[in-house]
Amino acid sequence: MSESSISTLPPGRPSRQPFIHQESLSLDSSCFSSPPVNFLQELPSYRSIARKRTTILSRDKQNGTLLKPTDSYNFQLEGEITEDLDNQSIRKYALNISEKRRLRDIQETQMKYLSEWDQWKRYSSKSWKRFIEKAREMTTHLELWREDIRSIEGKFGTGIQSYFSFLRFLVLLNLVIFLIIFMVVLLPVLLTRYKITNSSFILIPSKDVDIQCTVYPISSSGLIYFYSYIIDLLSGTGFLEDTFLFYGHYTIDGVKFQNFIYDLPLAYLLSTIAYLALSLVWIVKRSVEGFKINLIRSEEHFQSYCNKIFAGWDFCITNRSMADLKHSSLRYELRADLEEERIRQKIAERTSEETIRIYSLRLFLNCIVLAVLAACFYAIYRATIFSQEHMKKEIDKMVFGENLLILYLPSIVITLANFITPIIFAKIIHYEDYSPGFEIRLTILRCVFMRLATICVLVFTLGSKITSCDSYLCELCGYNQKLYPCWETQVGQEMYKLMIFDLIIILAVTLFVDFPRKILVTYCSSWKLFQCWGEQEFAIPDNVLGIVYGQTICWIGAFFSPLLPAIATLKFIIIFYVKEISLLYTCRPSPRQFRASNSNFFFLLVLLIGLCLAIIPLTISMARIPSSKACGPFTNFNTTWEVVPKTVSTFPNSLQTLVYGITSEAFAVPFFMIICLIMFYFIALAGAHKRVVVQLREQLNLESRDKRYLIQKLTEAQRDLRNRLD
């Protein structure tokens, strides 16, 4: 190891050599003035440190970071391990077998001098850790789709495997959300409805509410024709409208059990807050690890080529075709890196006229992108208004196809927009003269914004129709009661239709596009048209955007349709098997592969964006739009959020004072200042860690220079020896 690497190591870090003499490890002034070996003075790292020796020594003396000898380090390590017996086992330390055996002997010797109580605590701690490890090993065998995902990983690599792992995560997330809603909202209602417990519903008559606002005519036209059942099943109307599926069925003010009264409105609101908070915490927790890896890799520009050549292989691949695909993927990444380097040089060599021209072109193309987005949003707005105005017609006045088209018109327009806009964005990005990596990220970002913003446009369009008042009855009730007597249920029906239509589109594309395309390409390969067409690519970003789109619908619609998470769970289970079959039999992996770490962080980042966009309309609907007076648990409240201050008013005076104090400005300002101080502390800590990382990078760079220099000297010495022998 070079002296440069030694000088930058933090205290307590072992060196790579098994034994280095203390004289060669010292970094005092004598090391630079009279080194023991003159040859070491020629090392590049020695010369680099010699130039900076004054600043290094002064900084190390101030901070106390001079490297300790190897013997003292080993003694310190032994002390740390023997003092940390209660926290970690020896096998978790990066030591060889002989060192671990020696330390185990030291532990056993020390155990003899402990009291019986301390010995029992240590033995019990070890037994408990073994039990936890065995339990974790057992739980790994109970993972959902464990064998399927491992098989996909072996055949197609970790990039595609990360997509299916992400899909499994969404299945578990929706299942937990459904369990929360079921336990908090559905279970008390079911226990009372079916007389399982000795309980009864509490119905409080609405006060200061006009009788006209409480009218809620539920259509029963779905019972007339047989195909009406199909329409009701696909749209959530008719016999499904007054079921546990939608908000309007829970017109209950509370459930009276034998010893207490269950406040259903408060439980309904808390369940919504709980599943949103759970989703946020779970996503952030899973994304932290991927963020660290991406943060470290983002600064490894000088090691990019080495990482791809020497550490870029995916050893989980066992399939020959996937190995060839991985080879082509690595070649593509190297070409992309070279292309990015070429573009960086091109940018550096641009003249002012070329810079003005390219930025003007990008500005024009971004205006086109905004125009495309605006056109899509306006089309969704007009389709939603048209559908809402005409869906109230009697079903016998329209034929089956016309009625279904009007009901699903917003969903159809949204699906067409999601299909057309990525193609337009992919064509536009080629003229903007970006690097290949940035092209992919910008295109994905635009598609993410398009897919998720369409849902928000639909929800805000419904909100504008709900709150638009043009009659006395609307002003009396606070919302458009004539068109939306139970507006929460109708918003839930729109989310339900989006969920069902998205599943239908995925199944239809797989069955009627991917399978016929595979058959034509396989058995009609002699035709040039089918050769150019080729097999369908399994594009990971597009598939991820599709399931994130469905998850965003679930987050928004779970408040208006409590059983929607259960439907989303079944939907994602179906999608898992459909995509697995499609991957194995109809699609080919994309040549642009994603690393598993990059993929996981990207998936969770997009999912986090979807969650943030879902919280916005939910917050507005609960805090700003008046709740329906004809249905739901909030008929006695002006807004959904009003149940919170009413509940707080029932607390004891001391607890009320505490709650009001926590929510007051007198508490908020100091709390904000403390949070800022904590944030500044962590920012400073992150800066210190970053400086350490920079030092370690410099150390690696100097080590590589030393190795090249030593190899060069060794080669020269061998050449000289060969010449002498000759």
Side-chain angles (χ1 to χ4, degrees):
M1 176 178 287
S2 65
E3 297 180 17
S4 64
S5 62
I6 295 169
S7 66
T8 55
L9 276 174
R13 287 290 302 271
S15 62
R16 297 184 181 179
Q17 298 294 335
F19 177 77
I20 300 177
H21 197 271
Q22 182 174 350
E23 294 180 359
S24 64
L25 289 171
S26 178
L27 279 180
D28 54 13
S29 59
S30 63
C31 177
F32 300 102
S33 59
S34 58
V37 183
N38 294 329
F39 176 73
L40 295 178
Q41 295 180 354
E42 301 179 8
L43 289 175
S45 60
Y46 182 89
R47 295 176 181 178
S48 177
I49 291 183
R51 289 192 297 267
K52 300 183 295 182
R53 64 183 182 273
T54 304
T55 56
I56 291 177
L57 288 172
S58 61
R59 183 186 61 191
D60 289 342
K61 288 179 180 179
Q62 291 177 359
N63 300 333
T65 57
L66 289 176
L67 189 67
K68 300 177 181 179
T70 307
D71 295 337
S72 63
Y73 167 76
N74 290 335
F75 179 78
Q76 179 187 7
L77 182 63
E78 290 179 6
E80 290 178 357
I81 294 176
T82 54
E83 291 175 0
D84 199 30
L85 290 174
D86 295 333
N87 297 327
Q88 295 193 55
S89 60
I90 293 179
R91 62 181 178 179
K92 292 185 179 180
Y93 288 92
L95 301 172
N96 54 40
I97 297 298
S98 60
E99 289 291 330
K100 289 182 178 180
R101 287 174 179 171
R102 186 167 63 87
L103 291 172
R104 188 176 297 278
D105 294 337
I106 294 173
Q107 290 180 7
E108 294 177 354
T109 304
Q110 289 181 349
M111 289 286 288
K112 298 177 181 178
Y113 299 99
L114 297 176
S115 63
E116 294 183 358
W117 171 250
D118 291 334
Q119 291 182 14
W120 179 84
K121 284 196 302 182
R122 294 202 175 177
Y123 282 127
S124 60
S125 176
K126 288 183 179 180
S127 301
W128 175 252
K129 288 178 181 178
R130 290 196 195 98
F131 172 75
I132 294 297
E133 291 177 357
K134 293 294 183 181
R136 287 177 180 174
E137 291 178 2
M138 292 295 295
T139 53
T140 56
H141 297 283
L142 301 177
E143 287 182 355
L144 183 64
W145 298 318
R146 178 172 176 267
E147 296 299 329
D148 296 87
I149 292 178
R150 290 183 64 181
S151 175
I152 291 171
E153 182 181 17
K155 293 179 180 178
F156 301 99
T158 56
I160 294 179
Q161 173 265 339
S162 62
Y163 163 77
F164 286 93
S165 298
F166 179 67
L167 192 56
R168 177 177 61 186
F169 164 68
L170 291 183
V171 170
L172 297 176
L173 177 63
N174 284 287
L175 181 61
V176 173
I177 291 175
F178 167 69
L179 291 176
I180 291 174
I181 297 176
F182 177 81
M183 297 296 294
V184 176
V185 178
L186 270 75
L187 186 60
V189 177
L190 291 173
L191 293 177
T192 306
R193 178 67 55 84
Y194 296 102
K195 306 296 181 181
I196 300 175
T197 59
N198 187 16
S199 58
S200 60
F201 293 126
I202 298 176
L203 302 176
I204 302 175
S206 301
K207 298 179 180 179
D208 301 329
V209 177
D210 193 274
I211 190 66
Q212 299 179 11
C213 298
T214 61
V215 177
Y216 180 30
I218 299 177
S219 175
S220 60
S221 58
L223 301 176
I224 298 176
Y225 301 106
F226 174 75
Y227 64 79
S228 299
Y229 287 105
I230 301 176
I231 295 177
D232 294 340
L233 189 63
L234 294 176
S235 61
T237 56
F239 72 94
L240 284 179
E241 187 169 351
D242 190 23
T243 60
F244 290 100
L245 180 60
F246 294 110
Y247 169 94
H249 186 76
Y250 303 89
T251 311
I252 303 166
D253 295 294
V255 179
K256 184 178 181 181
F257 289 93
Q258 188 173 2
N259 298 322
F260 64 96
I261 296 176
Y262 191 78
D263 193 346
L264 188 65
L266 180 63
Y268 200 100
L269 177 61
L270 291 180
S271 66
T272 303
I273 298 174
Y275 79 72
L276 291 175
L278 172 70
S279 302
L280 178 63
V281 172
W282 204 344
I283 293 171
V284 171
K285 184 178 180 298
R286 287 178 64 95
S287 62
V288 165
E289 183 178 354
F291 176 74
K292 290 183 194 175
I293 296 174
N294 280 271
L295 187 63
I296 294 173
R297 284 183 173 170
S298 63
E299 299 183 3
E300 291 184 349
H301 301 299
F302 70 98
Q303 294 179 346
S304 176
Y305 303 106
C306 294
N307 286 338
K308 290 181 174 63
I309 294 173
F310 297 107
W313 186 252
D314 189 352
F315 289 94
C316 295
I317 296 176
T318 58
N319 186 275
R320 177 67 183 178
S321 61
M322 284 306 304
D324 296 336
L325 182 64
K326 186 63 179 179
H327 280 292
S328 63
S329 175
L330 290 174
R331 287 196 299 269
Y332 165 78
E333 290 182 6
L334 290 172
R335 286 197 301 267
D337 288 341
L338 294 174
E339 180 67 17
E340 289 182 1
E341 184 65 27
R342 185 191 66 81
I343 290 177
R344 280 195 291 268
Q345 293 180 357
K346 182 180 177 182
I347 292 173
E349 297 172 356
R350 277 178 186 165
T351 62
S352 57
E353 292 81 4
E354 292 176 344
T355 304
I356 294 173
R357 183 188 62 82
I358 191 63
Y359 278 101
S360 301
L361 179 61
R362 289 175 182 175
L363 179 62
F364 174 72
L365 293 175
N366 278 281
C367 291
I368 295 178
V369 170
L370 293 176
V372 171
L373 293 174
C376 294
F377 295 159
Y378 182 74
I380 296 170
Y381 171 77
R382 296 303 308 174
T384 304
I385 291 179
F386 181 83
S387 175
Q388 295 298 311
E389 290 177 350
H390 291 78
M391 68 185 298
K392 295 298 180 181
K393 292 183 179 181
E394 293 294 331
I395 198 169
D396 53 357
K397 295 182 180 179
M398 293 183 290
V399 297
F400 173 75
E402 181 185 359
N403 187 51
L404 201 60
L405 179 64
I406 289 176
L407 289 173
Y408 271 89
L409 187 60
S411 302
I412 294 173
V413 174
I414 289 175
T415 302
L416 289 176
N418 293 335
F419 177 75
I420 295 173
T421 50
I423 300 175
I424 299 175
F425 294 158
K427 297 295 183 182
I428 289 176
I429 197 70
H430 291 306
Y431 299 98
E432 295 185 85
D433 199 14
Y434 290 118
S435 63
F438 188 77
E439 281 186 4
I440 296 174
R441 291 192 292 271
L442 183 58
T443 304
I444 291 174
L445 183 63
R446 287 171 175 172
C447 294
V448 167
F449 178 77
M450 177 62 203
R451 278 183 175 269
L452 301 182
T454 52
I455 306 174
C456 294
V457 170
L458 173 63
V459 174
F460 283 115
T461 303
L462 291 173
S464 64
K465 290 292 292 180
I466 292 168
T467 56
S468 62
C469 292
D470 54 359
S471 63
Y472 171 75
L473 180 61
C474 179
E475 296 178 357
L476 183 66
C477 302
Y479 59 95
N480 195 341
Q481 202 276 341
K482 182 179 180 181
L483 190 59
Y484 301 97
C486 184
W487 64 266
E488 292 92 346
T489 293
Q490 288 166 291
V491 173
Q493 289 172 347
E494 291 298 327
M495 297 297 105
Y496 174 81
K497 286 186 286 187
L498 285 175
M499 183 76 70
I500 297 299
F501 191 73
D502 185 50
L503 178 61
I504 292 174
I505 290 298
I506 292 174
L507 295 177
V509 168
T510 303
L511 293 175
F512 302 113
V513 177
D514 292 345
F515 274 104
R517 181 174 178 175
K518 174 68 174 179
I519 293 173
L520 292 175
V521 171
T522 303
Y523 297 101
C524 302
S525 58
S526 58
W527 294 16
K528 293 184 178 180
L529 177 62
F530 296 132
Q531 288 180 356
C532 297
W533 194 14
E535 296 181 8
Q536 175 69 28
E537 286 186 4
F538 191 88
I540 297 177
D542 295 340
N543 286 281
V544 169
L545 293 181
I547 60 177
V548 171
Y549 167 77
Q551 183 59 42
T552 307
I553 294 172
C554 177
W555 277 324
I556 296 176
F559 176 78
F560 307 103
S561 177
L563 294 183
L564 200 61
I567 298 174
T569 303
L570 296 175
K571 172 190 170 183
F572 287 138
I573 291 174
I574 295 172
I575 289 176
F576 183 92
Y577 288 109
V578 169
K579 291 297 181 181
E580 183 183 13
I581 294 173
S582 176
L583 174 65
L584 294 175
Y585 299 105
T586 66
C587 295
R588 61 182 175 88
S590 174
R592 294 182 175 182
Q593 291 194 348
F594 280 58
R595 285 185 181 269
S597 58
N598 296 343
S599 301
N600 291 329
F601 178 69
F602 165 72
F603 299 163
L604 294 168
L605 179 62
V606 175
L607 191 63
L608 188 61
I609 294 173
L611 177 60
C612 295
L613 290 178
I615 291 175
I616 295 173
L618 278 177
T619 304
I620 294 175
S621 63
M622 289 189 294
R624 304 283 299 180
I625 302 178
S627 56
S628 297
K629 302 300 183 290
C631 69
F634 302 99
T635 54
N636 292 312
F637 302 95
N638 291 328
T639 60
T640 302
W641 186 255
E642 203 174 86
V643 69
V644 175
K646 182 181 178 182
T647 304
V648 173
S649 64
T650 61
F651 292 167
N653 293 331
S654 58
L655 189 56
Q656 287 187 39
T657 304
L658 178 62
V659 173
Y660 292 141
I662 292 175
T663 56
S664 64
E665 296 178 357
F667 178 82
V669 173
F671 180 76
F672 178 74
M673 294 178 64
I674 293 173
I675 292 297
C676 290
L677 292 175
I678 295 174
M679 182 181 66
F680 291 149
Y681 166 76
F682 280 107
I683 290 174
L685 188 63
H689 290 167
K690 188 174 182 180
R691 287 192 294 271
V692 172
V693 170
V694 171
Q695 291 178 0
L696 294 176
R697 291 185 190 280
E698 292 177 356
Q699 170 190 337
L700 291 175
N701 192 15
L702 291 173
E703 283 187 5
S704 63
R705 291 168 59 188
D706 286 349
K707 290 176 181 178
R708 288 198 302 269
Y709 179 78
L710 293 174
I711 291 173
Q712 180 182 357
K713 289 295 183 181
L714 180 62
T715 304
E716 292 176 357
Q718 289 177 346
R719 189 184 302 114
D720 294 340
L721 180 62
R722 193 181 300 112
N723 293 334
R724 292 174 185 175
L725 293 176
D726 293 340

